[in-house]
Amino acid sequence: MGLDNRIHTPEGLRDIYGKELKLKSFIEDRLLDVLKLYHYDMIETPLIEYFNVFNGDKGTASSNQMYKLFDRENNTLVIRPDITPSIARSVAKYFANEKLHIRLSYKGQTFMNRPRLHGNLNGVTQLGAELIGDDESAADGEIISMVVESMLKLGLSEFQVSVGQVDFFRGIVDEYKLDDASKEALRDAIVNNKIFVVKDLSKKAGIHDDAVEILLGMTSSFDNDEILKRAKSCVSNETSLNAIDRLSKVYQILKLYGYESYVSFDLSLLSDYDYYSGIVFKGYTYGSGSPVVGGGRYNGLISKFGVDMPSVGYAFVVDELMFAMSNQHLSLDDDNDGVMVLYLNEDLEQAVRIAKALRDKDMSVLLMRKSSKNTVDDYVEHAKAHEISRIIYISEDVKLINVNDKSEKTVNLEGVLGGAL
């Protein structure tokens, strides 16, 4: 008989509760605050979509990475592995005749059926933004600035946003006339940091050594201006040169926002998704083994749904931010840390009065009846576990217990009701 899985989640999925869920809510609220400041409207798309929203030319997850199911008409459905194609579908349906820019934001779970022992979660929450209908460098700059501002809003100080340009790579492929097989082999080697494979393939194609260094990301010791200068000097094709000029314009915009110190250029950065068509970026911070945010420009994606609109966006992986903030021991900056009102059975009426009075002042109150089976110390430990700093203990008199050091003092009941806490 197989393992009894009634109390287990499927592989790569998990339950979230208590402090962890509180952290998740904190992160989502801060990210949404930034989206409101930039006036992005929320949109919600279905968790389940038709298979052809994501397959093939949409450039998202491969078929064997999607969770599939069927409706009663035998249509193939998938649990979304990514939200951006869903947004593209919605825009094509509802905003096809929009003449001005569209700013949308979203929050939702995505599911990817990854190989075993891959080390990543199969189900994560994405929260992001899409700026649609604007093909200018200012739009790229706004999106990256929002990413930086979001990280700062969370209290992160040590982070970096790596920015690349997929057209730089595409221009080199065209300049040296690589066939499709060679192009894909080189792209795979760059994405997976297979240095010797990149060098071998580049040598066979005759790609200039300086360009190979750029594609390998071996320019990280240089500042952004120097990287752009070196990249421009090692190519002669128009596509790559335009890509560098675009990055230069975006960099000037980031300087206007004052966020240039948080950004570094890395032309070895190629997205996992094929729908990206220009600028791409990933954000990193300590405490997470994977990028906490990614995004870029995807000018051709919405056209797959019948409407041609340039677009750029980003998606934070909330779960990766949770790992990072937990490992960095960052405070949630939550002033309302809660109070426990602990009472004996005969003091229920008095306890409810106190709890109601405190809740009327927007304080979080945990009302607990003291059992004879448990000591006061048991309740102190329970309070610690639930981030409660004070206990009002009603027995023969009313005591205020400090959870951190277990010190206590007798307090006046009317004082408590009047707001003495």
Side-chain angles (χ1 to χ4, degrees):
M1 183 178 292
L3 177 69
D4 184 350
N5 59 12
R6 286 176 296 176
I7 63 171
H8 298 284
T9 60
E11 184 178 1
L13 307 179
R14 63 184 183 134
D15 300 312
I16 304 175
Y17 61 94
K19 289 183 180 179
E20 196 174 19
L21 188 55
K22 185 177 181 181
L23 173 60
K24 183 180 182 183
S25 297
F26 171 87
I27 291 170
E28 292 173 351
D29 288 346
R30 294 302 183 274
L31 297 181
L32 290 171
D33 284 345
V34 174
L35 290 165
K36 290 176 185 176
L37 292 175
Y38 282 77
H39 209 78
Y40 279 67
D41 295 324
M42 288 293 291
I43 185 171
E44 184 174 282
T45 60
L47 180 64
I48 298 173
E49 297 261 19
Y50 286 114
F51 175 64
N52 62 6
V53 172
F54 300 95
N55 74 324
D57 61 352
K58 311 306 185 303
T60 185
S62 62
S63 177
N64 65 358
Q65 289 182 312
M66 299 185 207
Y67 289 97
K68 301 184 187 72
L69 57 158
F70 302 92
D71 64 14
R72 64 182 63 191
E73 283 77 36
N74 210 34
N75 294 306
T76 304
L77 310 176
V78 297
I79 305 175
R80 64 186 176 205
D82 180 20
I83 297 181
T84 298
S86 295
I87 303 295
R89 175 195 56 72
S90 297
V91 169
K93 182 177 181 180
Y94 300 109
F95 300 93
N97 298 319
E98 182 64 51
K99 295 179 180 179
L100 299 179
H101 306 156
I102 304 163
R103 286 173 166 82
L104 298 175
S105 59
Y106 60 85
K107 179 185 75 171
Q109 283 195 291
T110 62
F111 296 86
M112 189 92 75
N113 193 8
R114 303 178 190 275
R116 290 190 176 190
L117 304 178
H118 194 276
N120 293 319
L121 292 170
N122 287 355
V124 298
T125 296
Q126 290 185 2
L127 195 156
E130 313 291 354
L131 175 46
I132 299 160
D134 190 346
D135 198 22
E136 299 301 315
S137 54
D140 297 342
E142 178 175 309
I143 284 292
I144 296 174
S145 294
M146 289 172 66
V147 167
V148 173
E149 197 162 326
S150 296
M151 304 274 263
L152 293 172
K153 190 83 171 179
L154 290 171
L156 296 166
S157 57
E158 296 185 84
F159 63 89
Q160 197 71 26
V161 181
S162 295
V163 180
Q165 234 287 2
V166 298
D167 281 342
F168 181 78
F169 170 75
R170 287 172 178 160
I172 289 176
V173 167
D174 292 339
E175 181 176 342
Y176 290 92
K177 297 179 173 56
L178 273 68
D179 58 35
D180 289 344
S182 299
K183 179 187 73 173
E184 288 306 313
L186 181 58
R187 182 185 182 282
D188 176 76
I190 293 171
V191 168
N192 293 290
N193 199 31
K194 300 175 182 177
I195 296 174
F196 294 107
V197 176
V198 173
K199 288 183 176 180
D200 183 53
L201 292 171
S202 300
K203 184 176 181 180
K204 289 178 181 177
I207 299 174
H208 195 282
D209 288 346
D210 290 343
V212 176
E213 286 191 5
I214 298 289
L215 291 175
L216 284 170
M218 298 173 68
T219 54
S220 58
S221 60
F222 302 118
D223 63 30
N224 286 330
D225 290 317
E226 181 65 21
I227 291 173
L228 295 180
K229 182 179 178 182
R230 284 173 173 262
K232 198 166 188 177
S233 69
C234 70
V235 293
S236 57
N237 72 85
E238 187 176 355
T239 301
S240 295
L241 291 172
N242 287 341
I244 299 304
D245 287 341
R246 179 69 171 228
L247 283 179
S248 182
K249 290 178 181 178
V250 172
Y251 193 42
Q252 296 309 311
I253 293 165
L254 292 171
K255 288 180 179 179
L256 294 178
Y257 281 97
Y259 293 150
E260 71 275 13
S261 63
Y262 298 102
V263 172
S264 62
F265 291 132
D266 179 4
L267 290 163
S268 70
L269 184 61
L270 300 175
S271 175
D272 297 332
Y273 293 150
D274 288 338
Y275 56 65
Y276 286 113
S277 58
I279 196 168
V280 291
F281 54 85
K282 292 182 179 180
Y284 302 85
T285 188
Y286 297 108
S288 173
S290 299
V292 297
V293 63
R297 180 162 288 281
Y298 54 99
N299 282 356
L301 179 60
I302 299 179
S303 66
K304 305 294 184 183
F305 298 93
V307 180
D308 189 15
M309 287 186 179
S311 309
V312 61
Y314 68 79
F316 275 97
V317 182
V318 175
D319 305 75
E320 292 296 339
L321 282 170
M322 291 167 64
F323 298 147
M325 292 185 68
S326 294
N327 290 329
Q328 292 184 35
H329 306 292
L330 292 178
S331 169
L332 298 192
D333 191 27
D334 189 354
D335 294 332
N336 191 6
D337 58 356
V339 176
M340 177 189 291
V341 175
L342 183 63
Y343 66 96
L344 301 176
N345 195 51
E346 58 267 26
D347 296 315
L348 173 61
E349 181 179 346
Q350 194 175 43
V352 170
R353 283 181 60 207
I354 293 175
K356 186 177 186 308
L358 297 178
R359 287 172 182 149
D360 286 345
K361 298 179 185 298
D362 292 327
M363 296 183 69
S364 174
V365 180
L366 176 61
L367 193 60
M368 295 280 285
R369 181 180 64 83
K370 185 183 180 302
S371 168
S372 59
K373 298 178 181 178
N374 300 106
T375 66
V376 172
D377 281 346
D378 291 332
Y379 292 95
V380 169
E381 293 304 312
H382 185 80
K384 281 184 180 178
H386 291 82
E387 297 180 310
I388 292 171
S389 62
R390 293 160 294 177
I391 297 176
I392 298 172
Y393 179 31
I394 307 170
S395 54
E396 295 177 356
D397 47 20
V398 180
K399 296 178 181 177
L400 181 64
I401 302 174
N402 184 311
V403 170
N404 290 327
D405 59 13
K406 297 184 180 181
S407 62
E408 58 182 65
K409 63 179 180 180
T410 301
V411 293
N412 179 276
L413 176 59
E414 296 307 317
V416 172
L417 293 174
L421 282 183

